[in-house]
Amino acid sequence: MKKSFKQAMVFTLAGSIAVTAAACGKSDQGNSSGNNAASPSASATEGPKPALKALQIWQKDDYNGYPVAKMLEEKTGYKVQYDMLPQDNAVDKLNLLISSSEPYDAITTGGGSDFKALYSDYAKRGALVDLGPLIDKYGPNIKAALSQSTLDAAKVEGKLYAIPTKSLNFSGSSLMIRQDWLDKLGLKMPTTTDELVAVLKAFKEKDPGGNGDKNIPMTINGTAPMVENLNGAFGMPNGWNDVGGKLVPRVLDAGFKDYLTYMNDLFKQGLLDKEFAVNKDATMKEKFTSGKVGVVPVNWADVPTMSDALAKNQPNGKMVYIPTLKGPQGKFGLSAPDGFDRITFIPKASKHPEEAVKWLNAKLDPATFKLMAIGEENKHYTFKDGAYTPILPIFVDERNNANNYLSGVDEKNYPLYWQARVRKDLRLFDAWANLNVQQAANTRVTDPLGLSPYLAEYSKNNASLNTLMNDQAIKFIAGAEPLSGLDAFVAKYKASGGDASVKEVNDWYTTKKK
């Protein structure tokens, strides 16, 4: 899904509060004395180093005064002056800085679709330093930390001009259900789309919420008619999915009509909120937490807030995730986004490109990276039984913004370290773990376009095509237009950039699979 540059940056900041979990290997246990601060890397002992200038994405706090900045100076030996892009009009500001040759030594931006366009344009215009030769000479930690597929995805015309920070590949949302409603009616948890219909009918007819005829079996966000979990049950967990070796957008997928038919049937039976089309995200959540709704799509990061609101309004209410549902043909899956959280490049105007690469490399020294990401053991976190648990409040005070200093990650270990962030609230961790640990690994389907390079036609058309799809899906689901009009809509979709996008995407995908 295409996001604006500003949205991409906001998203990455919001994402800093949510994280991952997994067990840690024995290598961490060998450093459990409580004083595992990183030793100075080799680059920190080479003598005087020039002061560097870094431009970062916006955050609320001053980068220069945050504890991570001081720690990085001590461990890498580089004094860095951090500036940041504005919260608003960041693209305009960045374009101005690049065109005026402002001598930043490293610039970190968001990693969304719009950024790929900017980054590709800067590289093609000769405004960025080719990092390949410098990384070969000064970047052993970079090459060890980042996979080749990550580096390849950041290349422009075969050359690497940036160090990407890979997003964590986890599922974010699924359907949440009122467990206490199931218990009251003696119902089992649904595992298929047909079983879900039966449960929703019971919610409508047997009043488990005590609302009389005002119970709403299921509601959704009117701006997101393609519902997580149900998408996967019809073979479309991601915006584009591999169908017979070819990437196909949802509108052109055979499962699209079946999905619309299913959702329209829910609407006609009164099982889907009759007002869903006008629901905003906040409206949808309020209906659920006030005790009116039985099933709703929820991102795991929203679980603590929604749990608190439900407990306030419904003291005996209990909300849990529905398992990944199987559809009529046995298909299932939750989307697992992939791609870049942010990306760091060196402009040609840099006065110290070699030193900048040395600094970026020093940040990826394994011990330094861990210290940057989650701090010191027994000071910022504890490690026991394979779990990283934050020590509060110091973890929040000194590492909550640590992700904004990242310029590439230790891809093997960072998903393990990041669990400390989710464990700040065990309800948050449990919700994340339900989707990403407790359910089988094959339920998570990685977005096949996540690590694609900048694709001009796709980038130009994707936002408008998604809007076209969502607007029309709402009309079909709500019965405002008959499904007999789907073929005409598909033709419109193709003519509006769908065909051009499919060709470009699959030209790339074919080469990727070789």
Side-chain angles (χ1 to χ4, degrees):
M1 182 184 300
K2 182 177 178 183
K3 300 180 178 69
S4 69
F5 187 84
K6 174 183 171 185
Q7 287 172 322
M9 293 195 297
V10 172
F11 173 76
T12 57
L13 291 173
S16 71
I17 303 176
V19 263
T20 175
C24 177
K26 293 183 179 179
S27 60
D28 285 294
Q29 298 174 14
N31 196 4
S32 58
S33 65
N35 183 22
N36 69 335
S39 301
S41 62
S43 64
T45 61
E46 293 173 352
K49 297 174 172 61
L52 302 177
K53 286 183 62 179
L55 182 66
Q56 308 287 110
I57 64 173
W58 182 87
Q59 69 172 20
K60 178 174 62 70
D61 301 313
D62 178 20
Y63 278 88
N64 298 289
Y66 199 67
V68 173
K70 181 178 180 181
M71 180 278 297
L72 285 174
E73 181 179 347
E74 292 174 352
K75 299 305 175 185
T76 69
Y78 286 95
K79 173 71 174 178
V80 179
Q81 169 63 41
Y82 296 95
D83 297 335
M84 58 181 158
L85 289 162
Q87 186 176 12
D88 299 314
N89 301 315
V91 171
D92 293 340
K93 180 64 173 180
L94 182 58
N95 281 330
L96 178 62
L97 293 172
I98 293 294
S99 63
S100 62
S101 298
E102 188 69 24
Y104 281 104
D105 297 299
I107 296 176
T108 297
T109 71
S113 301
D114 282 0
F115 163 73
K116 287 183 178 179
L118 287 172
Y119 165 59
S120 178
D121 179 58
Y122 295 159
K124 290 177 181 177
R125 287 198 280 121
L128 306 182
V129 174
D130 178 1
L131 299 184
L134 295 179
I135 291 174
D136 284 342
K137 189 172 183 180
Y138 303 114
N141 294 330
I142 296 171
K143 295 173 103 174
L146 277 66
S147 68
Q148 190 60 49
S149 61
T150 297
L151 294 173
D152 288 344
K155 289 181 178 179
V156 177
E157 297 181 340
K159 293 185 178 181
L160 182 65
Y161 295 92
I163 297 173
T165 298
K166 192 177 183 295
S167 300
L168 294 172
N169 184 212
F170 299 122
S171 294
S173 299
S174 188
L175 291 173
M176 189 74 74
I177 193 169
R178 286 287 297 272
Q179 178 68 57
D180 54 308
W181 285 20
L182 289 174
D183 295 341
K184 186 174 183 179
L185 300 180
L187 299 173
K188 294 181 179 180
M189 181 68 71
T191 59
T192 69
T193 51
D194 286 344
E195 289 177 4
L196 178 63
V197 172
V199 165
L200 295 177
K201 285 181 178 179
F203 284 177
K204 178 186 178 184
E205 297 167 358
K206 299 183 179 181
D207 190 23
N211 300 303
D213 61 0
K214 298 187 185 304
N215 282 323
I216 302 172
M218 183 171 80
T219 193
I220 62 176
N221 184 340
T223 64
M226 306 303 296
V227 181
E228 198 68 66
N229 197 335
L230 290 176
N231 281 332
F234 291 92
M236 305 177 296
N238 292 295
W240 290 65
N241 298 279
D242 188 313
V243 180
K246 182 178 180 180
L247 290 188
V248 178
R250 283 176 175 152
V251 170
L252 304 184
D253 195 301
F256 187 62
K257 184 175 182 179
D258 295 335
Y259 172 85
L260 294 174
T261 301
Y262 179 84
M263 295 296 288
N264 175 246
D265 189 53
L266 293 182
F267 186 82
K268 288 189 295 186
Q269 293 187 66
L271 307 181
L272 177 62
D273 186 0
K274 64 182 180 180
E275 299 176 344
F276 86 87
V278 296
N279 280 349
K280 302 300 183 185
D281 185 66
T283 311
M284 174 190 74
K285 291 174 180 174
E286 189 278 331
K287 288 181 177 181
F288 182 78
T289 58
S290 66
K292 299 173 185 175
V293 171
V295 176
V296 67
V298 176
N299 186 287
W300 58 265
D302 294 327
V303 166
T305 301
M306 292 184 66
S307 294
D308 288 342
L310 181 63
K312 180 179 180 180
N313 297 315
Q314 302 281 312
N316 296 318
K318 183 180 180 182
M319 53 186 259
V320 298
Y321 275 123
I322 292 175
T324 307
L325 298 170
K326 288 187 177 181
Q329 299 179 29
K331 296 179 179 180
F332 60 91
L334 299 176
S335 174
D338 202 6
F340 298 151
D341 183 59
R342 62 200 69 207
I343 197 161
T344 301
F345 52 81
I346 299 174
K348 277 281 184 68
S350 166
K351 295 179 180 178
H352 313 289
E354 292 186 355
E355 297 296 334
V357 171
K358 291 179 182 179
W359 173 61
L360 297 171
N361 182 71
K363 289 171 67 179
L364 284 169
D365 169 82
T368 299
F369 177 81
K370 185 176 184 180
L371 187 60
M372 171 175 61
I374 56 173
E376 296 180 38
E377 187 172 2
N378 296 327
K379 177 181 178 181
H380 296 98
Y381 69 90
T382 59
F383 178 75
K384 183 179 180 181
D385 299 328
Y388 289 94
T389 302
I391 297 173
L392 303 177
I394 192 171
F395 183 90
V396 172
D397 293 341
E398 298 190 354
R399 287 301 183 274
N400 210 45
N401 291 341
N403 70 306
N404 287 334
Y405 292 82
L406 301 179
S407 46
V409 298
D410 179 342
E411 293 183 10
K412 178 181 178 181
N413 292 306
Y414 189 48
L416 312 180
Y417 302 155
W418 214 24
Q419 69 174 292
R421 293 178 176 273
V422 209
R423 288 181 180 274
K424 289 183 291 186
D425 187 323
L426 287 182
R427 296 171 302 174
L428 190 70
F429 174 79
D430 288 344
W432 174 86
N434 181 286
L435 300 184
N436 293 287
V437 177
Q438 295 166 14
Q439 297 197 40
N442 66 348
T443 64
R444 295 179 294 282
V445 184
T446 298
D447 179 3
L449 270 178
L451 287 178
S452 66
Y454 170 65
L455 301 170
E457 288 293 330
Y458 168 81
S459 297
K460 179 178 72 175
N461 297 318
N462 192 50
S464 61
L465 289 174
N466 277 332
T467 299
L468 192 67
M469 174 188 69
N470 288 335
D471 289 348
Q472 189 64 42
I474 290 170
K475 295 174 184 177
F476 285 141
I477 292 170
E481 292 187 13
L483 275 168
S484 59
L486 180 58
D487 288 345
F489 171 68
V490 168
K492 179 181 179 181
Y493 180 93
K494 290 181 176 181
S496 299
D499 276 343
S501 296
V502 167
K503 181 181 184 307
E504 181 186 47
V505 164
N506 282 285
D507 285 347
W508 161 75
Y509 194 58
T510 299
T511 61
K512 176 180 179 290
K513 294 190 299 178
K514 290 181 179 179

